[in-house]
Amino acid sequence: MTVSSAPGKVYLFGEHAVVYGEPAVPCAIEVRARVGVKRRDDSKLRVHAEDLSLDGFTVEYGGGADERPDVNASESLLMAATQYVDSAIEQVREVTGEEDVGFDVTIESNIPLGAGLGSSAAVVVAAIDAGTRALGTTLEPVELAERAYRTEHEVQDGQASRADTFCSATGGAVRVEGDDCRSIDAPDLPLVIGFDGGAGETGELVSGVRTLREEYEFAADTVEAIGDIVRNGEDALADGDVAELGRLMNFNHGLLSALGVSSRSLETMVWAARDAGADGAKLTGAGGGGCIVALDPTEETETALSFTPGCEDAFRAELAEEGVRRIE
Ligand SMILES: Nc1ncnc2c1ncn2[C@@H]1O[C@H](COP(=O)(O)OP(=O)(O)OP(=O)(O)O)[C@@H](O)[C@H]1O
Ligand SMILES: C[C@@](O)(CCO)CC(=O)[O-]
Ligand SMILES: [Mg+2]
């Protein structure tokens, strides 16, 4: 068994706008997806996922062109659950030239699905890393990030940025603008996460913003304004100015909300954090439900969130300095 893990992330600034070439600053956090792979002696894939919200399940498929996966779940659930893994293994086949290789894949993840903490990127990065290593190829983090990006791009119908996958592969705080991806210095930030127990559909949310942007010039301007916030945020990060970072996060949230990717529970959590004295709070990731990220060095925000109806979990997140981790 070859095992790799990769971290999830929060966006300090710039989700959605990054898809249209604006800069973004995501930051890897210590919640991880761990993927183990073992080469099979046929070309099938057998995926065992422990922590999916659709209860753990095992599925075995491949081998024949139209072979239906052998699992007791509806096709749409199955698609949602397996398409990233499938496409990651395709990348492994392409990198190694072993077109017909099959694997037993085991996924264990502490990252809630579809909640804005980058579960898809973490699973894909860990799966490609473990898969290639199992076949004797070790990818550099930048190449790994590129391969993982291609996976997200394909699964999300051509609508993905390099931000999530680069951040998950390299760890730390990163700045992504188009295909320019780099690591940046970040102070130790007092990150608090609130999770509403729900999820948003990344592909649909990205499409929604795309449509608005095409339809209204002011929506296109809103996307550009998010880019301006990110550039200001970079200065605040360099200065270690948490108060300014918070103000800019609040502004960024307002614009995301205007673009239609917030939700009632995300708003409730953002306001609970602000009322508790957080320096700033915003949704993170694609939105529609899932997580907010707040800045607060005190215990107040975490405590307030834990008593907020609609907030299912509140926790402090540590920056993950390490990206992909090679475990066995
Ligand atoms: N533990 C897991 N096991 C198998 N597949 C997973 C697991 N975690 C995530 N995935 C895959 O990732 C998909 C969720 O990705 P999606 O991009 O919608 O959300 P996210 O990455 O968690 O949030 P965001 O992109 O907003 O940060 C799932 O439908 C599934 O295909
Ligand atoms: C919404 C989005 O910006 C972030 C999802 O975590 C999509 C992407 O960058 O691929
Ligand atoms: Mg994702």
Side-chain angles (χ1 to χ4, degrees), residues 9 11 15-16 18-19 152 156 159-161 163-164 202 206 285-286:
K9 57 97 236 283
Y11 273 87
E15 55 273 86
H16 284 287
V18 69
V19 175
E152 289 231 303
Q156 290 165 210
Q159 308 183 107
S161 73
D164 289 25
T202 300
V206 172

Side-chain angles (χ1 to χ4, degrees), residues 61 87 93 98 149 184 186 203 210 296 309:
Y61 53 108
S87 173
R93 291 178 173 136
E98 299 220 32
Y149 159 67
I184 59 174
R210 168 163 307 232
D296 188 352

Side-chain angles (χ1 to χ4, degrees), residues 199-272:
E201 183 60 55
T202 300
E204 271 171 34
L205 291 153
V206 172
S207 294
V209 173
R210 168 163 307 232
T211 306
L212 274 180
R213 201 175 147 266
E214 284 164 1
E215 204 161 329
Y216 299 108
E217 213 171 299
F218 55 78
D221 292 344
T222 304
V223 168
E224 278 182 32
I226 291 177
D228 291 336
I229 293 176
V230 180
R231 284 179 279 271
N232 281 277
E234 286 177 71
D235 294 339
L237 259 186
D239 296 342
D241 186 344
V242 173
E244 174 70 356
L245 284 171
R247 273 193 296 276
L248 294 166
M249 285 168 67
N250 284 338
F251 214 124
N252 194 163
H253 178 79
L255 297 187
L256 287 167
S257 189
L259 290 171
V261 298
S262 190
S263 71
R264 184 183 291 271
S265 55
L266 292 174
E267 293 301 322
T268 304
M269 293 190 291
V270 158
W271 279 102

Side-chain angles (χ1 to χ4, degrees), residues 26-107:
C27 188
I29 58 170
E30 267 314 331
V31 286
R32 283 180 177 266
R34 186 180 154 116
V35 179
V37 305
K38 195 157 174 274
R39 186 182 188 142
R40 292 172 64 102
D41 49 20
D42 59 24
S43 61
K44 290 188 179 185
L45 279 185
R46 179 175 185 277
V47 180
H48 179 69
E50 252 328 311
D51 306 298
L52 279 174
S53 44
L54 24 135
D55 297 337
F57 77 103
T58 302
V59 51
E60 184 168 314
Y61 53 108
D66 298 321
E67 194 181 327
R68 271 272 302 138
D70 169 24
V71 71
N72 184 16
S74 82
E75 190 135 7
S76 58
L77 276 180
L78 198 66
M79 277 288 291
T82 56
Q83 54 191 350
Y84 285 97
V85 181
D86 252 20
S87 173
I89 297 301
E90 267 316 307
Q91 287 295 325
V92 171
R93 291 178 173 136
E94 205 179 298
V95 174
T96 58
E98 299 220 32
E99 299 292 332
D100 295 325
V101 68
F103 288 108
D104 287 334
V105 181
T106 306
I107 306 171

Side-chain angles (χ1 to χ4, degrees), residues 313-325:
D313 198 10
F315 55 97
R316 195 165 273 291
E318 301 299 331
L319 185 83
E321 293 293 350
E322 191 183 11
V324 66
R325 180 180 295 162

